[in-house]
Amino acid sequence: MTSAVTGFDAATIELLATSLREVFTAHPDAQGVAAALDELGWDEVSASDPAAATTLLFTEHGRALAISRLLDDIVLRELTPALPAGTGNRAVLYCHPQHALLLGPLDDITELVTLDGAGNVGIIAAESVSARPIRGFDPGSGWLCIDEIPTARPLLVGDAGQRAVAAARRALCAEIIGICTTALDSAVAHTTSRIQYGRQLATFQAVRHRLAESYVAVEAARAALAAAWADGGVWTARLAKLRAGQAQAELMRHTVQLFGAMGLSQEHELHRRVTRAAALDLLLGGHTAQADEVGAALLAGADLIRVVEI
Amino acid sequence: MTDTFAADLDSYRTALRANLMRESSLHAWRTRHYATTEERIADHAALMGELYRQGWNRYGWPVAAGGAGGDERHRAVLYDELAAAGLPIPTPHLLLETLGPPVSRFAPELAARYLPAYLRGEEWWGQGFSEPEAGSDLASLRCRARRDGDNYVLSGQKLWTSHGATATRLVCLVRTGTPESRHRGLSMIMVDVDTPGVSRRPIALASGDNELAEVFFDDAIVPASRLIGAEGQGWAIAMYLLQYERAMYAWMSAADALRRLRELRDQLSTRLAAGGTLPGAAAQRLGQCYSQLITLRARSAQTVRRLAAGATVGPEASVDKVLLGGAEIALYDLSRDLLGPEFVFDDTATVAQWRSEWWYSRSATILGGSAEVQRTIIADHVLGLPKEATV
Ligand SMILES: Cc1cc2nc3c(=O)[nH]c(=O)nc-3n(C[C@H](O)[C@H](O)[C@H](O)COP(=O)(O)OP(=O)(O)OC[C@H]3O[C@@H](n4cnc5c(N)ncnc54)[C@H](O)[C@@H]3O)c2cc1C
């Protein structure tokens, strides 16, 4: 069992968070981030407490709206032992019913490892596909889409595929929580400083209650993520992703409202948080689809396991 | 045996689980439906007697007060395992969770005298906080306790006292200071319902269940030895109590709610198997509700562990309460929507129970501080926002 409680003390976490913040502000691209993390000796940090390190890394990633292939690393770490030896660099192709997504360009990639939400895994040659940049809701993501995928060589990887999905979902939860935290902080700061009707916006109950609800949503997602780490399973990682997706939906609805017109403007950075969180929610299964699947599984007789024990 | 379980939560859990599965004397409580609240409380109290006799519900309570040692986690495990075994969490435990901790902490001698009988199911208590003109604004309460020698003389009224019509004792928040003293002039005191000058009247919820009562004090004389904490300390103790009312209650309710969700799922699966259909979005809402309950457990478990470690949870307990309110409302709205016409028109005991619990679930966002009050607490004390504008 991976522990989320042992490992780092509060001071270490603060120190690591600061270092990560510096990494993500200094490097706007995937290569830069990877090199800087190497220099920081992140692998070692991560080995000493994977739960805390991954949560920290992806939370800061989210706060900074960073672009990287760190999620591929998480997936490949689970899959590599179960895959045939590679011929060069690999990246992950995240397969959804209508969209196959890449987190970055194919430049130096020779093989794509395909992964879907059910944990099915395959390998295709990178040269056999063409990727187009996504110009969708979140233009800043740097993600790409592949419209025509040759049939992948299906691979029997045991439960490694599902473990990879679970690991990726936990990382995505942390990233979404990171984005939500900055959005909430900025909404608190904004409503505390802006004056209307001769007083701070945050003195109006309607405003205060939206902020409180947003806080509850993030704390709920945090608790669900901690439970997912404590248990390490596929089912709980999915429940945590569902909660994180739900949290971003609620929190972004509230924060956009609280910024007034400014929240809709290109100039203000809030919209980038809204769109990134929406994209991350959909990666490996959005919250409404997840709820649907969980509910269907329950109706089909799945045990209502209680997940958390005292 | 006692000492092992008190010190070792896992062995307590394992032994308890095995026993609940095996013990045939408990079986009768699995399937009962009750026509009235009075009947339910009395029968659940008998269940407490059985659990006490076997020792299980004594863990988590101080030895000096009839308990067997251990801490909040033992109590949380008991509720969890009862629910998992398809047994009800005995109704009197609701108020025991709220009132037991402050009485044990601030009036150990009263706890030693009366708590053992509570644990045995021989008596239960009510919480006399709310009044006709003091609901959310609890600090405005007016029920007076005037000091007279070794006694207090109580006059005034309490309202919405859960189980108040059948309780043996009431733990009341009363005004010992001036009428304008707000939270500074409050004290907490335990009153026996058979004290001359105390009268009560049951209040039925919309479901017809007599869950509540109103209580009148007409110069009722209560010994000063019945104070919980010192005179004037009432508000501080109420805040201590509210951590339990919000956090332990949330854990307990989540355990029960998960059992009920399982039962609802079984009912719906049966309908599907018989060729029936479910309204649109049923699966999504079911999945959503389950994830809400698991999230509540995740959060609540952290809080219970903090309480067990002696930490002050304070305003953070409001997060648990808000999550509970959301989850309970969602569960019972789901039961109402998915059972559909059956919920509205049918007369079976099973459906009647869903209906009565649906009504009760509405209180999840009212009692113990309403949903709005919890949000205000979070805004003030967790987010540190500027104070609300007063007009
Ligand atoms: C089933 C049940 C059991 C109960 N058991 C007990 C018990 O055992 N002992 C006991 O003492 N009491 C008990 N209560 C009473 C409960 O504590 C009160 O109902 C609660 O404190 C709210 O008070 P009120 O009903 O007077 O509502 P009010 O305070 O009048 O509130 C009415 C509505 O106005 C809103 N409101 C009030 N103030 C504000 C504000 N400042 N900002 C925004 N909205 C506001 C509330 O959120 C609520 O929606 C029980 C209630 C129920 C329903």
Side-chain angles (χ1 to χ4, degrees):
Chain A
M1 191 174 92
T2 320
S3 162
V5 269
T6 57
F8 313 135
D9 57 24
T12 311
I13 289 183
E14 197 40 56
L15 206 69
L16 290 170
T18 311
S19 309
L20 289 173
R21 241 163 260 179
E22 283 161 10
V23 167
F24 290 128
T25 13
H27 304 281
D29 60 346
Q31 283 93 346
V33 167
L37 286 177
D38 264 352
E39 200 169 312
L40 202 64
W42 190 256
D43 278 349
E44 246 169 84
V45 176
S46 188
S48 71
D49 188 340
T54 308
T55 300
L56 207 53
L57 181 64
F58 281 86
T59 303
E60 291 307 324
H61 199 272
R63 294 175 71 95
L65 294 174
I67 292 173
S68 78
R69 278 206 144 110
L70 291 174
L71 191 70
D72 286 9
D73 296 348
I74 298 279
V75 169
L76 292 173
R77 193 175 306 150
E78 295 293 336
L79 287 182
T80 300
L83 294 178
T87 52
N89 288 340
R90 280 171 169 165
V92 179
L93 182 63
Y94 299 88
C95 299
H96 306 85
Q98 275 127 44
H99 297 91
L101 304 170
L102 285 170
L103 300 188
L106 287 172
D107 301 345
D108 53 348
I109 305 293
T110 50
E111 282 183 331
L112 292 178
V113 177
T114 62
L115 177 71
D116 70 12
N120 297 307
V121 177
I123 291 189
I124 54 180
E127 58 188 16
S128 66
V129 299
S130 67
R132 65 172 171 87
I134 291 177
R135 273 181 271 280
F137 195 45
D138 181 27
S141 71
W143 296 0
L144 297 95
C145 195
I146 295 182
D147 297 318
E148 277 170 56
I149 316 169
T151 320
R153 192 156 31 105
L155 293 170
L156 293 176
V157 294
D159 64 353
Q162 293 207 26
R163 275 192 285 113
V165 172
R169 283 184 176 151
R170 288 190 296 264
L172 286 166
C173 287
E175 185 162 2
I176 293 171
I177 289 169
I179 299 176
C180 287
T181 315
T182 34
L184 176 57
D185 289 349
S186 70
V188 166
H190 174 70
T191 55
T192 305
S193 62
R194 177 158 171 84
I195 312 274
Q196 286 293 284
Y197 298 99
R199 58 197 188 218
Q200 295 155 286
L201 290 178
T203 62
F204 292 103
Q205 189 180 71
V207 169
R208 296 156 61 77
H209 284 193
R210 280 182 186 266
L211 291 168
E213 270 168 52
S214 303
Y215 176 80
V216 170
V218 187
E219 289 307 298
R222 247 190 250 287
L225 176 57
W229 272 110
D231 151 289
V234 173
W235 180 252
T236 48
R238 164 190 272 199
L239 291 176
K241 179 75 172 20
L242 199 174
R243 267 356 278 177
Q246 181 83 39
Q248 65 83 28
E250 283 173 28
L251 182 139
M252 294 304 173
R253 176 158 37 80
H254 291 318
T255 45
V256 167
Q257 174 69 16
L258 294 179
F259 274 95
M262 198 191 276
L264 317 182
S265 71
Q266 186 101 68
E267 229 160 287
H268 194 274
E269 64 169 8
L270 183 64
H271 70 93
R272 298 179 57 216
R273 306 198 186 287
V274 172
T275 57
R276 182 63 50 81
L280 293 169
D281 174 36
L282 289 184
L283 204 54
L284 292 173
H287 66 281
T288 46
Q290 295 292 314
D292 235 345
E293 285 180 34
V294 168
L298 294 178
L299 283 173
D303 193 11
L304 279 83
I305 52 170
R306 18 182 228 201
V307 178
V308 180
E309 301 294 332
I310 281 288
Chain B
M1 175 179 127
T2 301
D3 289 344
T4 336
F5 288 163
D8 181 353
L9 191 68
D10 282 330
S11 68
Y12 169 72
R13 189 199 326 263
T14 311
L16 170 65
R17 189 178 297 170
N19 184 271
L20 293 180
M21 290 304 172
R22 195 180 53 224
E23 190 54 71
S24 56
S25 63
L26 300 177
H27 186 69
W29 279 281
R30 285 203 166 80
T31 48
R32 282 200 191 140
H33 294 281
Y34 304 98
T36 67
T37 301
E38 292 83 346
E39 208 181 283
R40 186 184 76 238
I41 297 185
D43 193 51
H44 283 190
L47 174 58
M48 288 177 75
E50 199 56 40
L51 292 169
Y52 184 92
R53 197 177 58 71
Q54 300 177 18
W56 301 116
N57 77 345
R58 300 178 58 198
Y59 291 93
W61 298 104
V63 174
D71 56 48
E72 283 79 357
R73 294 169 308 156
H74 288 79
R75 281 143 46 195
V77 165
L78 172 67
Y79 306 139
D80 225 17
E81 294 300 330
L82 284 170
L87 285 161
I89 296 170
T91 304
H93 268 277
L94 289 183
L95 270 299
L96 178 62
E97 266 314 326
T98 303
L99 302 173
V103 173
S104 300
R105 163 91 180 255
F106 295 98
E109 62 297 338
L110 292 178
R113 197 164 337 145
Y114 300 119
L115 206 66
Y118 201 147
L119 289 169
R120 286 195 295 269
E122 290 162 10
E123 66 175 62
W124 48 92
W125 307 343
Q127 176 190 13
F129 281 23
S130 306
E131 298 179 7
E133 279 157 82
S136 297
D137 184 13
L138 184 60
S140 69
L141 67 84
R142 298 201 300 209
C143 182
R144 247 194 94 61
R146 176 174 52 82
R147 182 81 190 221
D148 182 15
D150 288 340
N151 297 313
Y152 285 95
V153 183
L154 266 60
S155 53
Q157 182 190 351
K158 291 292 173 187
L159 190 58
W160 313 126
T161 314
S162 288
H163 314 158
T166 51
T168 305
R169 281 166 244 286
L170 303 171
V171 173
C172 297
L173 200 56
V174 292
R175 186 158 301 284
T176 42
T178 62
E180 305 75 35
S181 59
R182 298 273 308 166
H183 55 272
R184 290 180 308 280
L186 299 177
S187 303
M188 205 175 289
I189 194 160
M190 181 187 274
V191 185
D192 295 350
V193 294
D194 57 8
T195 307
V198 176
S199 56
R200 41 193 183 150
R201 190 182 68 84
I203 302 175
L205 289 183
S207 56
D209 296 333
N210 286 334
E211 287 292 331
L212 309 169
E214 61 182 333
V215 183
F216 302 90
F217 300 97
D218 189 8
D219 289 335
I221 294 172
V222 181
S225 60
R226 290 304 190 82
L227 269 184
I228 295 157
E231 183 177 306
Q233 215 191 343
W235 189 255
I237 300 171
M239 293 302 109
Y240 177 84
L241 173 150
L242 282 174
Q243 302 181 105
Y244 288 86
E245 178 162 355
R246 286 168 189 157
M248 288 303 287
Y249 182 81
W251 175 267
M252 190 184 253
S253 306
D256 237 354
L258 195 56
R259 175 175 68 87
R260 293 297 276 149
L261 184 63
R262 200 190 315 132
E263 290 167 5
L264 179 64
R265 189 278 306 268
D266 292 347
Q267 246 172 288
L268 298 173
S269 297
T270 310
R271 189 201 293 182
L272 284 175
T277 55
L278 295 179
Q284 190 176 317
R285 286 178 63 192
L286 192 66
Q288 170 73 13
C289 182
Y290 171 68
S291 88
Q292 273 179 282
L293 284 175
I294 296 304
T295 302
L296 170 61
R297 283 178 66 84
R299 166 72 189 194
S300 180
Q302 294 172 344
T303 308
V304 170
R305 288 189 205 111
R306 285 174 67 193
L307 285 173
T312 303
V313 173
E316 286 275 353
S318 292
V319 172
D320 303 41
K321 189 74 203 299
V322 171
L323 290 176
L324 170 66
E328 271 209 42
I329 294 276
L331 167 62
Y332 286 96
D333 281 351
L334 189 64
S335 78
R336 177 175 159 173
D337 293 350
L338 297 192
L339 296 174
E342 209 180 322
F343 181 100
V344 179
F345 299 122
D346 281 9
D347 198 23
T348 63
T350 312
V351 172
Q353 190 182 344
W354 280 112
R355 271 198 296 263
S356 110
E357 290 181 14
W358 183 87
W359 274 113
Y360 196 81
S361 73
R362 304 300 102 176
S363 70
T365 47
I366 296 178
L367 60 75
S370 73
E372 287 73 25
V373 169
Q374 305 301 338
R375 282 164 176 76
T376 294
I377 292 172
I378 292 169
D380 280 342
H381 301 291
V382 180
L383 292 174
L385 299 178
K387 291 281 177 246
E388 196 166 299
T390 43
V391 203

